[in-house]
Amino acid sequence: MHNNKQKKDWKFRLHEIIYEADTPSGKLFDVVLLITIIASILFVMLESVKEFDARYHYFLNIAEWVVTIIFSIEYILRIISVKKPWKYIFSFYGVIDFLSTIPKYLSLIFMGTQVLIALRALRLLRVFRILKLARYVGASNMLANSLKASRAKILVFLFAVLIVSVIFGTVMYFVEGDQSGFTSIPVSVYWSIVTLTTVGFGDIAPVTPLGQFIASMIMILGYGIIAVPTGIVSAEYAAQHRGQFPHIPQPPKVDMNTEACPNCSAERHKDNAKYCYNCGHILNARNQET
């Protein structure tokens, strides 16, 4: 009986360290993990520089293997510290953790797959747990609701921009012609979109005075177009903030922590919660002792 309790406490402690960021040990684990991820990404970036790779290839290869082994151990510990491993394995973070661990092993069989290690950048999403950004989910929901409320206006605006691009593209096709690179109407429409959005790749440029005048008008118009969607969303956001959208459910203003249920892996529990809101399982070892 005593051994079973020790085993359960060991799993609880391990789960608390790996899956939570509210305890000192959990914060330390996540910070070390993020530093390791950043170092791994840096190694991959440096490896892509031929001069650097030629000089430090052996070091970069060893460092990447060390990081891969660390992530492999971490992935295994995440699996054994939960009661339902499949919940974690097929979760969003579980899939990312797996994909960021296997590229180095695959490179032993398939050449070039080590570049997939850059997928580890997705693991930086765990910074949300460390910084406890879950507390700001309410604000992000308000922004999402603002985008949803203004989607009709934005769609109309985008349709208008598309029509303007087609019109200007067609005009430029007749004004400039093949000698300036406007070889067809689709190509001219492409140029119009690039110019209207102020990207300006420079691969096609008008040479006639009339074409340059039209291009100047499109560029000036582009600056105004950039401001329109921002104004639409900002107006909807301000209106929602003033409570003018009673039909849109407002997010509850509650404090949440980073605790993850060791049984079902549900997250975003309230502060001081002892039991999981999803399955009712006890959340951590401290609650178990009490």
Side-chain angles (χ1 to χ4, degrees):
M1 185 74 177
H2 183 66
N3 291 335
N4 290 337
K5 185 177 180 181
Q6 281 186 333
K7 183 178 180 181
K8 186 178 292 187
D9 287 344
W10 173 78
K11 280 197 171 185
F12 264 110
R13 299 296 183 188
L14 184 62
H15 182 276
E16 191 174 69
I17 293 173
I18 295 177
Y19 284 94
E20 298 173 22
D22 289 310
T23 61
S25 56
K27 289 180 180 179
L28 178 62
F29 176 85
D30 280 349
V31 169
V32 171
L33 180 62
L34 284 176
I35 292 175
T36 307
I37 295 170
I38 294 173
S40 175
I41 297 171
L42 181 61
F43 292 149
V44 175
M45 294 173 63
L46 292 176
E47 190 178 6
S48 67
V49 181
K50 294 182 179 180
E51 296 80 5
F52 196 92
D53 181 58
R55 181 176 295 184
Y56 301 105
H57 179 76
Y58 180 77
F59 167 76
L60 293 174
N61 186 53
I62 295 298
E64 191 50 51
W65 271 114
V66 171
V67 171
T68 299
I69 292 173
I70 292 174
F71 285 149
S72 300
I73 295 173
E74 180 233 350
Y75 183 71
I76 294 172
L77 291 178
R78 286 184 180 276
I79 292 176
I80 65 177
S81 63
V82 292
K83 287 191 173 182
K84 298 178 180 179
W86 294 109
K87 286 276 188 178
Y88 162 72
I89 292 174
F90 291 106
S91 67
F92 174 74
Y93 282 120
V95 172
I96 289 178
D97 292 346
F98 177 75
L99 292 177
S100 63
T101 303
I102 61 171
K104 194 62 177 177
Y105 297 115
L106 291 177
S107 66
L108 297 175
I109 306 174
F110 306 102
M111 296 298 296
T113 55
Q114 63 270 19
V115 297
L116 296 176
I117 294 173
L119 287 172
R120 286 175 182 165
L122 292 174
R123 301 193 74 186
L124 292 173
L125 293 173
R126 294 190 185 277
V127 72
F128 282 82
R129 291 166 52 79
I130 296 176
L131 300 180
K132 302 180 75 172
L133 296 182
R135 297 179 182 274
Y136 304 101
V137 169
S140 64
N141 286 341
M142 185 177 293
L143 178 59
N145 289 335
S146 300
L147 290 171
K148 183 178 179 180
S150 58
R151 65 183 184 277
K153 296 178 183 177
I154 294 177
L155 287 175
V156 170
F157 167 76
L158 292 177
F159 184 68
V161 170
L162 181 61
I163 293 176
V164 170
S165 299
V166 172
I167 293 174
F168 277 120
T170 305
V171 170
M172 290 299 291
Y173 171 71
F174 289 108
V175 170
E176 292 294 327
D178 293 349
Q179 64 274 14
S180 301
F182 295 83
T183 56
S184 65
I185 291 180
V187 171
S188 301
V189 171
Y190 153 79
W191 172 87
S192 178
I193 293 174
V194 169
T195 305
L196 196 61
T197 55
T198 70
V199 176
F201 291 123
D203 51 345
I204 305 174
V207 295
T208 64
L210 179 58
Q212 291 174 348
F213 173 76
I214 296 174
S216 300
M217 297 300 295
I218 296 175
M219 294 175 199
I220 295 173
L221 181 62
Y223 284 105
I225 286 178
I226 292 175
V228 173
T230 305
I232 292 174
V233 177
S234 298
E236 298 288 355
Y237 188 88
Q240 183 175 331
H241 187 69
R242 292 193 300 267
Q244 294 185 6
F245 292 116
H247 60 284
I248 299 178
Q250 299 295 319
K253 296 181 179 180
V254 296
D255 289 334
M256 293 178 291
N257 55 38
T258 60
E259 283 188 290
C261 176
N263 183 54
C264 68
S265 300
E267 297 184 351
R268 295 176 58 190
H269 293 89
K270 293 182 180 180
D271 284 342
N272 301 320
K274 291 185 177 182
Y275 301 96
C276 175
Y277 65 84
N278 185 50
C279 67
H281 193 274
I282 197 166
L283 287 178
N284 54 46
R286 294 188 302 274
N287 291 334
Q288 187 184 41
E289 292 171 358
T290 56

